[in-house]
Amino acid sequence: MNKKALFLIFIFLTSSQIALGQNYLNSEKIKDFFVEINIQKNGFIFVKEEIIYDFGENLKHGIFRNIPLDNLKIKILKITNELGQPLPFKITKNNNYLNIRIGDPNKLIKGENTYKIFYKILGGLIFFDNYNELYWNVTGNEWNVPIEKSAALIRLPEKISIENMDFNCFTGVFGSKEKNCNFKVNENGDTIFQSNKNLNPNEGLTIVLRFPKNVVRMPTFFEKILFDQTNYWLILMPIFVFFYLLMIWWYKSKDLEIKKPIIVQYEPPDNLNPAEVGTIINQKAKPKDITATIIYLAIKDYLKIKEIEISKNKHDYELELLKEDFVTSQDLKEYEKEILKKIFYINDPTNNFLRKKILFLN
């Protein structure tokens, strides 16, 4: 076989591979690209994209959705299939694009697959002096497959008469002035844009909607902060720490304002019992305050505390009630009476004393 024949065979095989690869790619397409855009009163936008992607017989893991940022802040809320089941995805940023890789890297798919992308936008509206404007590339121009059908529905926070709105749309490659599209307003006041042709690879649908100024306001500073806390954590963290410490001080360590001179006392005030002093110091009652009260009641001859030997090297304490009329005593405070009731009554405080002694085990 001469060199000329070998060259012709090489050209034939190369051309066949190129044609095969082209057919392989052309077998993929987007059958439907529908976007629902909900404009909120505070200027935020909620977007729901529904993409029906046909892989044909090609085996793939999923799709890439690239969204140009252009001073936008985008928060992806969730991505599901047509049944609402969550799909795995990964987000990266590259060259002013938000790149979303959707699909399971361990699973191959083919044929028609539906992708529903839900996200929130800050900065999607243009606020002019006399009107507000939504200028939005519905499909994007980054798809290397054709789009057979594309449309967008825009819902405002309130119904506006068509005379107070202005519409426009474009089709084709980036920067194209082609207007092979149409728009209408349905009975609910929602605006629907639709492409009149199949979009070729790297072609897209762009829509423009102008509406009165008072329909939507600009987001406030704090609304912008709450939209994406990760970008404002340096601002938010000191604020949260301040209010957290303020709450601790307010509920646990707040000092009362004293207008009189402070006199130093080295002993508890005469009108306070041990439990009351401990509660003031600790800001709450603790078990040791109850123990102090029991000893204090023994000092006041309401109790008798006796150490008893249970076994070798083990001792416990026995309490004996000395005054059964403590309930009517004017010498005791209510919490002291409650402690005696808990010790010497058995379940039902309306009964007489069932026993006068109780053993406290270590």
Side-chain angles (χ1 to χ4, degrees):
M1 186 178 294
N2 57 33
K3 293 182 178 180
K4 183 176 181 180
L6 288 174
F7 178 74
L8 291 175
I9 292 173
F10 173 77
I11 294 297
F12 173 76
L13 292 175
T14 303
S15 301
S16 299
Q17 290 296 324
I18 293 174
L20 182 62
Q22 188 68 30
N23 291 333
Y24 180 82
L25 181 61
N26 289 342
S27 65
E28 294 187 22
K29 59 187 175 183
I30 296 176
K31 301 191 71 172
D32 194 358
F33 198 120
F34 180 76
V35 179
E36 182 178 319
I37 300 173
N38 288 277
I39 301 175
Q40 306 297 301
K41 188 70 177 179
N42 60 3
F44 293 111
I45 300 176
F46 286 93
V47 179
K48 171 189 167 185
E49 294 183 356
E50 184 171 341
I51 304 170
I52 302 177
Y53 196 104
D54 187 0
F55 295 97
E57 294 301 317
N58 303 330
L59 292 174
K60 297 290 185 70
H61 294 286
I63 64 172
F64 287 89
R65 174 67 172 108
N66 300 317
I67 306 175
L69 293 175
D70 295 331
N71 299 320
L72 299 177
K73 293 185 182 297
I74 299 178
K75 181 188 294 185
I76 303 298
L77 303 176
K78 63 178 179 177
I79 300 178
T80 70
N81 59 16
E82 69 277 9
L83 301 177
Q85 299 168 334
L87 295 174
F89 63 92
K90 183 178 181 180
I91 300 174
T92 57
K93 291 182 181 180
N94 185 29
N95 294 330
N96 204 34
Y97 274 86
L98 186 72
N99 308 118
I100 312 171
R101 185 179 68 186
I102 309 171
D104 189 342
N106 299 316
K107 180 180 178 181
L108 291 171
I109 56 176
K110 65 178 181 178
E112 287 189 16
N113 288 266
T114 300
Y115 300 90
K116 294 185 177 183
I117 308 172
F118 300 80
Y119 55 94
K120 185 179 180 181
I121 301 173
L122 172 62
L125 295 177
I126 305 174
F127 294 91
F128 293 98
D129 293 337
N130 300 319
Y131 61 88
N132 297 330
E133 178 181 279
L134 172 67
Y135 187 99
W136 191 252
N137 189 332
V138 175
T139 60
N141 296 87
E142 293 75 29
W143 298 101
N144 58 359
V145 297
I147 302 175
E148 291 186 344
K149 182 180 178 182
S150 57
L153 181 146
I154 294 88
R155 183 173 291 117
L156 293 170
E158 60 183 79
K159 191 173 182 179
I160 306 298
S161 63
I162 192 171
E163 293 81 11
N164 294 324
M165 294 191 290
D166 192 14
F167 314 88
N168 211 339
C169 62
F170 305 94
T171 54
V173 297
F174 180 78
S176 171
K177 299 300 181 182
E178 178 186 77
K179 299 184 179 182
N180 201 343
C181 50
N182 64 76
F183 46 83
K184 65 178 181 180
V185 178
N186 63 18
E187 63 277 5
N188 297 322
D190 303 329
T191 305
I192 301 174
F193 293 87
Q194 187 171 353
S195 173
N196 294 333
K197 69 164 192 172
N198 291 357
L199 300 174
N200 296 318
N202 301 119
E203 290 186 342
L205 170 65
T206 300
I207 58 100
V208 183
L209 175 63
R210 294 177 179 175
F211 51 90
K213 186 74 176 175
N214 59 353
V215 176
V216 176
R217 63 171 175 82
M218 294 184 65
T220 64
F221 172 74
F222 287 103
E223 287 173 335
K224 292 178 181 179
I225 290 179
L226 293 175
F227 177 85
D228 188 5
Q229 297 91 336
T230 56
N231 289 337
Y232 295 95
W233 69 270
L234 288 175
I235 299 176
L236 291 175
M237 186 60 69
I239 296 175
F240 288 148
V241 170
F242 170 77
F243 281 105
Y244 175 73
L245 295 177
L246 179 63
M247 289 176 60
I248 293 177
W249 173 82
W250 183 264
Y251 288 106
K252 294 187 176 182
S253 303
K254 184 173 65 172
D255 296 325
L256 298 176
E257 182 179 355
I258 301 176
K259 296 182 179 180
K260 297 180 180 179
I262 299 175
I263 301 174
V264 178
Q265 291 182 312
Y266 298 97
E267 296 180 355
D270 294 335
N271 60 338
L272 291 182
N273 294 340
E276 294 170 334
V277 175
T279 302
I280 292 174
I281 294 174
N282 300 314
Q283 299 290 303
K284 62 180 180 180
K286 292 187 175 183
K288 64 181 181 180
D289 298 323
I290 298 177
T291 303
T293 301
I294 293 175
I295 297 173
Y296 182 69
L297 291 171
I299 295 173
K300 297 179 70 174
D301 294 326
Y302 281 90
L303 290 177
K304 182 178 180 181
I305 303 175
K306 180 181 179 181
E307 185 180 16
I308 60 176
E309 183 177 353
I310 301 298
S311 61
K312 188 176 182 180
N313 299 325
K314 185 175 181 181
H315 296 78
D316 286 319
Y317 297 92
E318 184 182 73
L319 303 183
E320 179 180 356
L321 182 67
L322 301 178
K323 298 180 182 180
E324 295 185 6
D325 61 344
F326 69 87
V327 176
T328 58
S329 174
Q330 301 296 321
D331 188 36
L332 296 181
K333 297 184 179 180
E334 287 302 317
Y335 77 89
E336 295 172 323
K337 295 178 182 179
E338 285 299 318
I339 291 176
L340 290 174
K341 289 179 182 179
K342 294 295 183 183
I343 295 175
F344 293 100
Y345 280 120
I346 297 181
N347 298 327
D348 186 6
T350 62
N351 293 337
N352 294 326
F353 295 104
L354 299 181
R355 59 180 178 178
K356 297 182 181 180
K357 299 178 182 180
I358 185 168
L359 190 66
F360 276 72
L361 301 179
N362 288 328

